[in-house]
Structures are given as structure tokens and as C-alpha cells.
Amino acid sequence: MSWSVGSVRPRSSRTPGCFRRKAATPGATVTAALNNLGSQLVNTLLPVLFVRELHLPAGALGLFWAVGGVGILLGSRCARPISARLGDGRTLALAGLCLAPAGLLVPLIGDGPWLLLAGAGWLLVSLKTGMDNVLGVSLRQRMTPDPLLGRMNATFRFLLFGALAVGSAISGLLGELIGPHATLWLGGAVRATAFLPVYLSPLRTRRRPPGAPPVAPPGVLPGAPPAATSPGLRRAPAASPVPGSGADEGCAPAR
């Protein structure tokens, strides 16, 4: 990387490769933004629906949100083992196809069994959110040259957190115009279909992003040479995982 005189903009020989590979990223970007938009359409009006319309205690709302937190934790934990077998792109696409439609169960919130059904749907879509957070951040960082990582992260933060703000404003406006339940159905429909940009993009058929190194099996450091073996000797067991080596940038809502 070199620096031009009188400018703070770095010039990198790896930058063109990033733009050649970016054809796979718009789908993931749109999916993440739609997930955040749909999430805020729902989350903004959940307190109104629970407390004012269903007359449920505040603890019920907290428990409902806690179920979503459990789903995000489980999704984050399962993302790497599944992607090591299927590939990052395939895992994102299949998780969307199998889990995202559960977002249509959330607007069924009501008394008795309907609340349990909505909670199950919330758990499943939150499970997908956890997987999206881990794999989405990993894909972006592996496909972006080091000199552009800061610029890429800033752009994604602006888009994804901007979608949260827009979703909250739209939810409040629609809640006044068409009511909380109708707005929840809209939010559920957005979340249920947000996976389509990734599913219809080249990522769906890729095990690894272009130019990415092979995924190391669990317990093996990426890039480590294979252990030497001799005839008649067993290979030594793999070292235990390095603490803190997993992805740590996932958070709810989806990025």
C-alpha cells in the first residue's frame, strides 16, 4: 500500500480485486438491512401490544424478548460448525429458507397458545439472526482487503443502523394509521422474505467467498501446517481451541 502526496487516501494494489469480488455482497447487504427494518417494525410496537391491548404484565414482554436472546445465542454458537460443513454462503441461504418464514408466526401474538406459537416463531427468527451476524461479519471481513476494512465497516454500520432508525419511525407511524397488529404483520412479512436477496445471489452456491482461505476444522489454527506422521504412528490430537478465537461481533438485531 502506498500514500499519494497531499492526500490521506491510501492506494492499494489489492483494491481492484475487492471490486471484482463485490458481486456477491449486495445480496447480503440488502438482506441485513431488511432484517433490521423488519425487526424494528415488530420490536417498536411489541410493548404497545403486550401491555395495552393484551393487558399482559411487563414480565411477559421481558420473557418474550429473552426467548429471542436465547435464539441469537444458539444461532451464534451453531453458525461456525454448520458453515464448516456446508460453507458460509450455503449456510446463510439455507438458514433463511428454513427459518425466516417463522417470522410470520410472530404477529399471531394473543392469549393462551397463540402467545406460545408467536414465541416459537420469535425463537426461530432470532436463531437465524445469530447465524447471520457471525457469518455476515466473517464474509465481509474475509472479502475486503485490509486497507478498506474501516471504510467497509463504516458503510455497513451506516446502512444497518440507519435501517433500525427508519424501521422505528415507520413502525410508529403505521401503528397510528393501521394499528399495531397490521404493522406487526408487515414486519413479519419483511423478516420472512428478507433472505431472498442472499438466496438469489451467487453466495447461495458458494462454499467459500472468492479468495478466502480454506476453513480450518474446529480446534486447528487457520494456516497451521498439518502434523507430520510416520507409518504406523497415529496423528497427534488437535490442540484445543484458542480462547476468544471465535467471532465476537454479532449482536441483535441482524447486521
Side-chain angles (χ1 to χ4, degrees):
M1 182 179 68
S2 62
W3 295 82
S4 59
V5 178
S7 172
V8 296
R9 178 173 298 178
R11 295 180 297 178
S12 171
S13 59
R14 290 177 292 174
T15 301
C18 173
F19 291 105
R20 286 196 298 268
R21 297 195 298 265
K22 73 178 182 178
T25 59
T29 305
V30 175
T31 288
L34 288 177
N35 272 327
N36 281 7
L37 180 68
S39 176
Q40 286 305 99
L41 286 173
V42 173
N43 277 317
T44 302
L45 290 181
L46 279 181
V48 176
L49 192 64
F50 267 77
V51 178
R52 291 188 181 179
E53 296 201 1
L54 298 179
H55 305 290
L56 294 173
L61 175 60
L63 184 61
F64 189 86
W65 272 332
V67 167
V70 171
I72 291 175
L73 179 63
L74 292 176
S76 301
R77 179 63 183 86
C78 295
R80 186 173 183 271
I82 296 175
S83 66
R85 180 178 295 272
L86 301 179
D88 293 346
R90 293 178 182 178
T91 302
L92 282 172
L94 290 177
L97 182 64
C98 298
L99 300 176
L104 294 174
L105 297 176
V106 177
L108 297 176
I109 292 176
D111 296 324
W114 293 108
L115 182 60
L116 298 178
L117 187 61
W122 189 246
L123 175 68
L124 292 177
V125 294
S126 299
L127 182 71
K128 176 186 176 297
T129 297
M131 298 179 71
D132 286 354
N133 285 341
V134 172
L135 298 180
V137 172
S138 299
L139 277 172
R140 296 198 299 268
Q141 292 185 346
R142 288 162 65 184
M143 295 176 69
T144 305
D146 290 346
L148 299 179
L149 279 173
R151 201 176 306 175
M152 178 274 294
N153 282 324
T155 301
F156 269 83
R157 295 282 182 170
F158 175 79
L159 291 175
L160 303 189
F161 282 89
L164 293 177
V166 172
S168 298
I170 293 177
S171 181
L173 179 62
L174 292 180
E176 287 288 338
L177 296 177
I178 62 178
H181 260 111
T183 306
L184 254 65
W185 277 108
L186 178 61
V190 171
R191 296 203 71 179
T193 57
F195 76 98
L196 289 176
V198 163
Y199 192 81
L200 299 176
S201 75
L203 278 176
R204 179 172 59 91
T205 59
R206 289 177 177 165
R207 291 184 58 87
R208 294 186 294 115
V215 178
V220 179
L221 292 175
T229 57
S230 301
L233 296 179
R234 293 182 179 177
R235 184 184 298 272
S240 59
V242 177
S245 61
D248 58 356
E249 297 196 28
C251 65
R255 298 185 181 189

